[in-house]
Amino acid sequence: MTDKVAIFDTTLRDGEQAAGARLGSRDKLTIARQLSRLNVDVIEAGYPASSPEDFEAVQLIAREIQGPAICALSRAVAGDIEACGKALAKAARPRIHTGIGVSDMHVLHKFRDEKYGVTLGEKKVKILQMAVAAVKLARQLAEDVEFYAEDAGRADPAYLFEMIQAAIDVGATVVNIPDTTGYAMPEQFGALIRSIRERVPNIERAVVSVHCHNDLGLAVANTLAGVHNGARQVEGTINGIGERAGNAALEEVVMALRTRGDYFGLRTGIETREFVRTSRLVSDMLGMAVPPNKAIVGGNAFSHSSGIHVDGFLKNRETYEIMRPEDVGLTESRVVLTARTGRHGLRDRLEKLGYALTKEELDRTYQRFLVVADKKQEVFDEDLIAILHDEIHPVPETYHLDYLHIYSGTSAIPTATVRLHVRGEVREGAAIGDGPVDAVCKAISSVTRTSARLTRYEIRAVTSGTEAMGEVTVQLEDKSRRAMGRGASTDVIEASAKAYIDGLNKLV
Ligand code: KIV
Ligand code: ZN
């Protein structure tokens, strides 16, 4: 068996299923470019049948990204599979990922309708037939077809083996064994993969893939147990983002395989020095901060602070470090960006951050950059990313902030006065609130005559120092719709107002 483990990145599909996460097709393409620099083997670009936007994103990535295979997800439904075929038409190496629920829980409850049979046994027969038909159809549209046995971690092993064998018989090239609910324990999951390799007669004709969720914090441990027992593809996301508690964090899986090569004896083709950059790009584009103590890419992952540790570290780095920070991309000679840096320096830095802009986008970003650079001594990467969110990926501006005045203090009632352009009309209003941010949101609601609920508010200083750029991320809900808004400014109240208005524009 090969010692190479293929890396299947599903940040753009399962990662984007994280609550509150939403990416447009341009954002997805930017991340896909960076994943290609990271040298992943497969990019799962989306689920084309889920929405026209996702279809467009998969199509765009399939057309633009060379190198990794481009994969699209479907249920075992003809329409879904055909949508994958169409969206992937221009891909150099297309892969269709299709599958169906295999645990009794999924079989009984997701296929409740009597058209799937009445008893559990009848339903299982029908679902097996659907799986076979799905793989057959997918194989007519792509040579490379991955079959997922959803909720395999809780399935009856005998049925799972039968299903996998049938999928391989009709042409599945990869069989994905997901622990969809993050239920398995590492030893158990490892044993499941081993038994699949021992008990499914045609298993040598396909690659076994593992796809683990993190509900019990075991996604990476289960993934590694799978690989240790013969899986040769791992699925996961950057920063471990994903549905509920997320997916296996790819940076952790890859660095574990690399750092403990003595234990696993396996390798990947990943350019690990791209990890930090990729992590920051994904975090910034989704507005999902990486906790400082996160393994590999967290801000503290290579920081030493206690006296004993620092003393040992200074004597010999390896006393307290099992990986070198430069191997995950943490040290780079840094060009300090200031108002005198110029367009070329700015473009170079943006490219290093993973953003390829058109000339017109670069011009706009440069103008904003100069404004920020005039206010601050140094413009940090995080400042640039905040500017990009404002300038390059804006939504149509139904509402635009023209003027903002805040009255606030230790013994004052916080009051906000705002002037907005609302569909071309200039409107003004004021409100008091429980703090200046509350006052400004209420003033904006009254001027826009909207009633969205603010369900999440996050602020972070994206640079250090008192002149830091503040980035505010909000989540707004209006009836059944939800939108994220983001705003950045050196004035945090202004950043809050911009984020709130950005969210309202997205809801429109
Ligand atoms: O978790 C899961 O089972 C999935 C499948 C669709 C592969 O994401
Ligand atoms: Zn999943």
Side-chain angles (χ1 to χ4, degrees):
M1 198 175 12
T2 173
D3 65 351
K4 162 117 195 261
V5 178
I7 302 298
F8 177 113
D9 180 282
T10 182
T11 306
L12 300 177
R13 199 278 298 169
D14 224 343
E16 207 216 9
Q17 285 176 216
R22 198 81 198 111
L23 290 167
S25 47
R26 283 286 309 268
D27 294 345
K28 280 195 164 194
L29 180 61
T30 300
I31 293 177
R33 285 210 173 96
Q34 181 55 29
L35 292 172
S36 165
R37 280 184 212 111
L38 184 65
N39 206 25
V40 301
D41 298 276
V42 186
I43 295 175
E44 186 164 53
Y47 172 14
S50 66
S51 69
E53 293 78 41
D54 230 33
F55 182 92
E56 188 197 318
V58 174
Q59 203 172 35
L60 186 64
I61 291 169
R63 204 172 55 217
E64 298 287 325
I65 303 292
Q66 311 297 325
I70 306 299
C71 177
L73 184 83
S74 71
R75 296 167 297 173
V77 168
D80 277 26
I81 298 166
E82 281 152 8
C84 289
K86 281 196 195 116
L88 292 170
K90 292 268 159 55
R93 293 171 55 214
R95 177 182 292 183
I96 296 180
H97 191 187
T98 189
I100 202 157
V102 297
S103 65
D104 289 358
M105 176 69 75
H106 278 224
V107 171
L108 280 173
H109 298 287
K110 289 176 68 173
F111 301 95
R112 225 173 242 179
D113 197 298
E114 289 194 1
K115 72 178 180 199
Y116 300 109
V118 177
T119 64
L120 177 64
E122 284 167 9
K123 286 181 192 290
K124 280 181 158 177
V125 170
K126 175 72 184 163
I127 282 162
L128 187 69
Q129 288 165 355
M130 286 167 69
V132 165
V135 174
K136 275 188 182 163
L137 175 59
R139 273 304 301 256
Q140 286 167 22
L141 304 170
E143 298 238 312
D144 190 7
V145 171
E146 175 166 338
F147 173 74
Y148 65 85
E150 194 181 10
D151 206 17
R154 290 192 296 173
D156 159 19
Y159 184 56
L160 175 65
F161 300 156
E162 194 185 348
M163 181 75 95
I164 295 170
Q165 182 177 353
I168 297 175
D169 258 344
V170 288
T173 48
V174 180
V175 285
N176 178 11
I177 314 301
D179 183 27
T180 305
T181 51
Y183 180 76
M185 291 292 121
E187 258 191 26
Q188 235 179 359
F189 194 67
L192 176 67
I193 300 301
R194 195 175 342 116
S195 61
I196 288 171
R197 298 203 52 259
E198 286 167 1
R199 305 273 292 280
V200 176
N202 55 2
I203 197 70
E204 296 305 332
R205 282 166 35 202
V207 173
V208 177
S209 184
V210 284
H211 175 117
C212 299
H213 279 268
N214 206 30
D215 300 65
L216 293 172
L218 293 169
V220 170
N222 284 339
T223 301
L224 292 172
V227 167
H228 195 48
N229 284 281
R232 285 297 174 266
Q233 177 179 279
V234 300
E235 308 195 2
T237 59
I238 297 299
N239 300 338
I241 61 168
E243 193 83 48
R244 305 183 309 280
N247 289 59
L250 282 181
E251 63 278 8
E252 295 179 22
V253 173
V254 170
M255 289 313 288
L257 292 176
R258 178 180 159 137
T259 307
R260 295 304 311 274
D262 61 320
Y263 178 78
F264 290 102
L266 297 169
R267 68 190 167 86
T268 71
I270 292 294
E271 178 47 82
T272 61
R273 280 169 299 185
E274 293 291 334
F275 269 140
V276 166
R277 194 175 300 166
T278 315
S279 160
R280 289 188 184 155
L281 183 70
V282 168
S283 150
D284 292 324
M285 290 218 133
L286 284 163
M288 294 176 87
V290 175
N293 62 332
K294 163 88 180 61
I296 317 296
V297 290
N300 290 348
F302 291 91
S303 303
H304 306 273
S305 98
S306 81
I308 297 173
H309 284 220
V310 171
D311 181 59
F313 173 77
L314 292 176
K315 286 175 177 147
N316 181 337
R317 192 186 60 76
E318 288 180 28
T319 50
Y320 287 102
E321 261 182 22
I322 57 168
M323 293 166 275
R324 297 185 315 159
E326 50 271 39
D327 289 344
V328 299
L330 262 180
T331 48
E332 273 205 319
S333 55
R334 222 161 54 88
V335 173
V336 176
L337 293 180
T338 68
R340 287 169 301 287
T341 301
R343 227 171 270 258
H344 182 197
L346 177 66
R347 192 186 58 210
D348 182 66
R349 177 63 62 86
L350 289 169
E351 280 171 3
K352 286 205 170 87
L353 290 171
Y355 294 88
L357 303 192
T358 64
K359 184 175 172 309
E360 186 266 327
E361 288 170 340
L362 179 67
D363 288 347
R364 273 194 288 137
T365 307
Y366 184 59
Q367 294 313 319
R368 272 293 296 276
F369 163 75
L370 288 178
V371 174
V372 174
D374 270 348
K375 287 194 196 166
K376 307 181 72 209
Q377 286 178 349
E378 180 181 347
V379 181
F380 295 94
D381 290 350
E382 291 81 357
D383 294 321
L384 285 183
I385 289 162
I387 293 171
L388 280 176
H389 282 301
D390 259 14
E391 283 294 321
I392 306 304
H393 300 286
V395 285
E397 277 200 308
T398 308
Y399 310 116
H400 174 81
L401 181 68
D402 191 31
Y403 166 90
L404 165 67
H405 181 264
I406 297 290
Y407 175 73
S408 179
T410 46
S411 53
I413 297 176
T415 310
T417 309
V418 295
R419 184 166 64 225
L420 264 73
H421 288 260
V422 179
R423 299 188 174 88
E425 177 195 341
V426 178
R427 289 193 205 157
E428 281 183 347
I432 57 169
D434 197 0
V437 172
D438 187 43
V440 89
C441 294
K442 285 188 172 141
I444 294 168
S445 294
S446 93
V447 164
T448 53
R449 295 167 201 152
T450 52
S451 56
R453 277 188 321 120
L454 181 73
T455 49
R456 197 170 118 199
Y457 176 92
E458 271 171 29
I459 181 160
R460 62 185 185 124
V462 287
T463 54
S464 52
T466 47
E467 80 281 25
M469 188 90 162
E471 189 186 58
V472 173
T473 307
V474 297
Q475 183 173 286
L476 302 184
E477 277 183 21
D478 187 19
K479 301 189 185 91
S480 60
R481 287 169 312 138
R482 192 162 62 183
M484 301 268 290
R486 205 182 281 117
S489 168
T490 45
D491 174 338
V492 295
I493 308 296
E494 186 184 332
S496 307
K498 284 181 166 176
Y500 195 82
I501 291 171
D502 185 43
L504 288 181
N505 279 325
K506 284 183 179 149
L507 281 176
V508 171

